[in-house]
Every structure is written in structure tokens, then in C-alpha cells.
Amino acid sequence: MITMEDIIREDRPTLRNVAEDVTFPLSDEEKKLGQEMMEFLENSQDPQKAEELQLRGGVGLAAPQVNVGKRIAAVLVPSLDSENKEPDFKEILYNPKILSHSVQGACLGEGEGCLSVDRDVPGYVVRQARITLRYYNEEGEKKQVRLKNYPAVVVQHELDHLNGVLFYDHINEDNPFTLDEGVLVIE
């Protein structure tokens, strides 16, 4: 089981390296890693388990964050609809790649955080508002999905980890809260 102790922090070199593609069929170790990363997200979003295991809440986790330089990420975006408990997006992504994206930018109104960053870094992180994502599942089946707004932002954050990029690399150092016209602010 992955805990906060397994998540490396921003000063570790693995977080700045480009992760390598996995090959199919996946090894048992790679499958287990994907499943354990998803289990971490599920536990971190369950208030009781999160408190019991002392987990920070997360919606995404990439393999480099647990010191594994492979292109694997887990994403679990909970539904904001109280009527529908199905997550907005829940997948373990192997070799994910953004095929296309919108011109329009989007950012989270309260900024972004990261399980590997133990400090608050204020500022807008502008990403694409809509993306078309291709990835493979555990069985090696190719999947393609269109995501927008919050799920798109979360996936882009995780893909950055696979490319050695941290969220604050996107923040304008001189004017952290300046936005170009037309950027969607997601509250």
C-alpha cells in the first residue's frame, strides 16, 4: 500500500526526469503499481481512511512521485454532483499522450497543489481547457477520451510529472495572478 512516506518530494531528481514508456504486456510489478496508485487516491478521498492512514487528499498520482521513472499515472476525479456518485474520470493511464487540445486556456481559481510539494505556491497554472487523451489500460487496449475543465487540468498535471515538470513551473514569476483574456477560471 502506498502512503505519504512513499511519495517523494520536489527536491528529488526523479521528479525532474522524463519517464520512460512501458511496454506491453505489462509486468506484474507495473500492474500492481497502477493499482496501488489508484488505491492511494481512493483512500485519500475517503475521510476516515485518509485520517487513519494520514494521507493528503489527491486526485492524481504519477509513477515518478513514488520514485518510479515510468509513464504510469492514476487519476480519480470525484463527481461534484451529489445525485451521481460516479467519478467524473477514473483511470489508470499507461503511456498517456495528449493528441490535441483547445486554444482556450483554463486554470483553477485557487491554484494547484501537489502531493510532492509540501508548500503553498500561489499563482495561476494555465493549462488547456479541453484535451483529447490517448492512453492504454492494464490489458494494453488503446483508449481515447475527450476531457474538459477540471478533469482535463488534473490529467495535464499528471502528464507534466511524466515529463519532469512541476505545476509551479507554469506560474508567471513576475505576476502570478495575471491571466490572458479568455482564460477560463474553474472555481
Side-chain angles (χ1 to χ4, degrees):
M1 179 192 300
I2 295 173
T3 67
M4 289 305 296
E5 267 101 67
D6 300 305
I7 295 175
I8 62 173
R9 300 311 193 262
E10 63 184 304
D11 58 338
R12 298 286 295 278
T14 305
L15 289 174
R16 290 302 189 176
N17 296 336
V18 175
E20 295 186 10
D21 281 346
V22 294
T23 54
F24 293 92
L26 296 174
S27 68
D28 290 344
E29 191 179 89
E30 289 164 336
K31 288 180 185 178
K32 184 173 186 257
L33 176 62
Q35 292 161 358
E36 286 187 350
M37 289 176 8
M38 183 59 76
E39 180 189 35
F40 173 90
L41 297 176
E42 291 166 349
N43 289 340
S44 82
Q45 291 180 25
D46 176 322
Q48 266 183 311
K49 282 197 173 137
E51 187 179 337
E52 176 189 319
L53 301 168
Q54 296 185 320
L55 306 178
R56 281 175 42 201
V59 290
L61 186 62
Q65 292 181 273
V66 290
N67 212 21
V68 177
K70 294 188 176 181
R71 298 186 81 76
I72 305 170
V75 176
L76 176 53
V77 179
S79 173
L80 299 176
D81 181 353
S82 57
E83 303 288 306
N84 179 10
K85 292 296 178 205
E86 277 298 302
D88 284 350
F89 187 66
K90 179 182 181 178
E91 284 292 334
I92 300 168
L93 313 171
Y94 292 93
N95 296 343
K97 181 180 170 90
I98 294 173
L99 299 178
S100 63
H101 60 78
S102 63
V103 174
Q104 183 182 27
C107 67
L108 304 182
E110 56 192 40
E112 290 186 20
C114 180
L115 294 166
S116 293
V117 179
D118 290 332
R119 59 195 172 97
D120 186 34
V121 184
Y124 290 131
V125 180
V126 179
R127 301 185 180 278
Q128 267 54 57
R130 291 178 303 286
I131 60 170
T132 300
L133 177 72
R134 183 190 70 212
Y135 62 94
Y136 295 85
N137 67 12
E138 198 176 86
E139 285 77 43
E141 298 166 333
K142 188 192 295 186
K143 303 282 187 177
Q144 190 168 307
V145 63
R146 295 175 65 162
L147 300 169
K148 65 180 185 176
N149 302 338
Y150 188 55
V153 166
V154 172
V155 166
Q156 289 171 84
H157 179 112
E158 297 315 317
L159 265 65
D160 271 358
H161 278 303
L162 304 181
N163 294 315
V165 176
L166 293 171
F167 75 92
Y168 53 73
D169 297 342
H170 296 284
I171 297 174
N172 180 327
E173 282 183 33
D174 300 326
N175 299 302
F177 291 101
T178 300
L179 289 175
D180 292 337
E181 199 175 311
V183 172
L184 174 68
V185 179
I186 302 165
E187 295 299 343

